[in-house]
Amino acid sequence: MNKPHPRQAAIDALAFQLEAGVDVALNEEAIDRFTETPAEETRPETPAAPIPDRGQHAPAANNPSPRSSARAGSPGRDDGRKAASTMSLPAADEAATAAREAAKKAATLEELRAALEHFEGCALKFTAKQLVFADGNPKAKVMFVGEAPGADEDREGLPFVGRAGKLLDRMLAAIGLDRSNVYIANIVPWRPPGNRTPTPQESQTCLPFIRRQIELVDPDILVCLGGPSTQTLLGVREGITKVRGRWFDYDTGTRMIKALATLHPAYLLRSPAAKRLAWRDFLALNAISLR
Ligand code: URA
């Protein structure tokens, strides 16, 4: 068999990676795993979630226990950011306790953001580019909570800025709202690799933070966008297509407010016929929301 031309071989390798779900380059240079020494191959104990070995973003000061140094063949890698594979993550229950304590201590949204920046209990932090905390008006009466950032949000550090976000903006505009009078956040503030749905454990670990964020914003109305947000925040077990349009009571920790479950804009992009149902929900929201 003829060897393919190096250019064609590189194109084929890229095509293979795209098909396998690789959609971002995390390092300047590729890491040749075949040339690693046994010491470099050392992996931490079981991470909190199954994460691929994609090095990212943990300031050295925040990572007291990396297991190995920067790998061979990756100069420039040891720039204060450590690979996910070198992190030792706390066990799930420790992470949950740490999250609850950190969230409780935060007296303001700025403190809550800082607490998340320092939080080490969620593996997603180490594969994401940055924290996606919130967008909009922290004094808003209506707060929207999605699932987790995607690639666009990860790049910009703001929630709902990709295609689904543009649709959300149009839906808001249709009832006279925009980001100056709503507040938007996600259950999980770091992008899951490949835009997968956060695992229940990742959502549960981050739950104290989003619950505190809701408490600090103190909206009159909470809107859960999609199934994972509805299930995580409202404790609902049924699927979103069953419960959408339904109003729930939500305890912010200081008072009871109304919460609406509706379809996620990303779902509406895939299933345009469902837009009429979301429209109904937004009309119901319009009927009771206060600007
Ligand atoms: N989907 C979400 O759930 N959140 C975002 O921020 C973007 C897309």
Side-chain angles (χ1 to χ4, degrees), residues 164-202:
K166 301 276 180 287
L167 176 56
L168 177 61
D169 286 342
R170 289 199 296 278
M171 291 160 75
L172 291 173
I175 55 167
L177 296 173
D178 60 35
R179 293 184 189 226
S180 72
N181 48 26
V182 302
Y183 186 83
I184 307 174
N186 282 304
I187 297 284
V188 167
W190 294 285
R191 180 201 181 201
N195 292 350
R196 64 165 169 75
T197 302
T199 63
Q201 187 185 313
E202 287 158 354

Side-chain angles (χ1 to χ4, degrees), residues 146-150 153 159-160 164 186 264:
E147 178 180 326
E153 291 76 21
F160 284 99
N186 282 304
H264 194 288

Side-chain angles (χ1 to χ4, degrees), residues 145-167:
V145 179
E147 178 180 326
D152 296 309
E153 291 76 21
D154 189 41
R155 218 173 292 121
E156 293 195 27
L158 291 170
F160 284 99
V161 292
R163 278 184 70 224
K166 301 276 180 287
L167 176 56

Side-chain angles (χ1 to χ4, degrees), residues 9-231:
I11 291 170
D12 291 347
L14 276 176
F16 169 76
Q17 293 192 11
L18 269 176
E19 263 177 41
V22 177
D23 59 357
V24 282
L26 291 174
N27 289 303
E28 289 298 315
E29 292 184 25
I31 298 164
D32 184 353
R33 300 285 181 211
F34 293 105
T35 62
E36 285 179 333
T37 63
E40 286 166 338
E41 282 170 9
T42 307
R43 294 285 183 274
E45 291 133 23
T46 324
I51 48 170
D53 187 0
R54 298 156 73 177
Q56 281 295 301
H57 244 218
N62 292 340
N63 300 311
S65 53
R67 296 288 170 100
S68 66
S69 60
R71 292 174 194 280
S74 56
R77 175 91 173 273
D78 195 13
D79 59 355
R81 299 189 294 181
K82 300 288 179 201
S85 64
T86 65
M87 302 305 306
S88 74
L89 287 158
D93 51 347
E94 277 176 50
T97 307
R100 270 196 302 277
E101 284 171 4
K104 200 161 72 184
K105 266 195 224 147
T108 62
L109 288 168
E110 291 69 36
E111 284 179 24
L112 189 67
R113 178 196 277 269
L116 273 164
E117 296 280 11
H118 286 93
F119 184 62
E120 301 277 286
C122 180
L124 297 179
K125 176 179 189 175
F126 305 108
T127 49
K129 279 194 170 63
Q130 58 182 320
L131 175 73
V132 176
F133 185 66
D135 196 13
N137 185 345
K139 295 201 165 74
K141 297 202 168 108
V142 188
M143 175 166 175
F144 290 78
V145 179
E147 178 180 326
D152 296 309
E153 291 76 21
D154 189 41
R155 218 173 292 121
E156 293 195 27
L158 291 170
F160 284 99
V161 292
R163 278 184 70 224
K166 301 276 180 287
L167 176 56
L168 177 61
D169 286 342
R170 289 199 296 278
M171 291 160 75
L172 291 173
I175 55 167
L177 296 173
D178 60 35
R179 293 184 189 226
S180 72
N181 48 26
V182 302
Y183 186 83
I184 307 174
N186 282 304
I187 297 284
V188 167
W190 294 285
R191 180 201 181 201
N195 292 350
R196 64 165 169 75
T197 302
T199 63
Q201 187 185 313
E202 287 158 354
S203 297
Q204 285 305 313
T205 300
C206 296
L207 183 57
F209 291 106
I210 184 65
R211 283 190 57 82
R212 183 71 178 137
Q213 204 166 351
I214 297 168
E215 187 178 358
L216 289 167
V217 173
D218 195 26
D220 291 334
I221 297 163
L222 175 68
V223 182
C224 295
L225 295 169
S229 171
T230 302
Q231 286 163 355

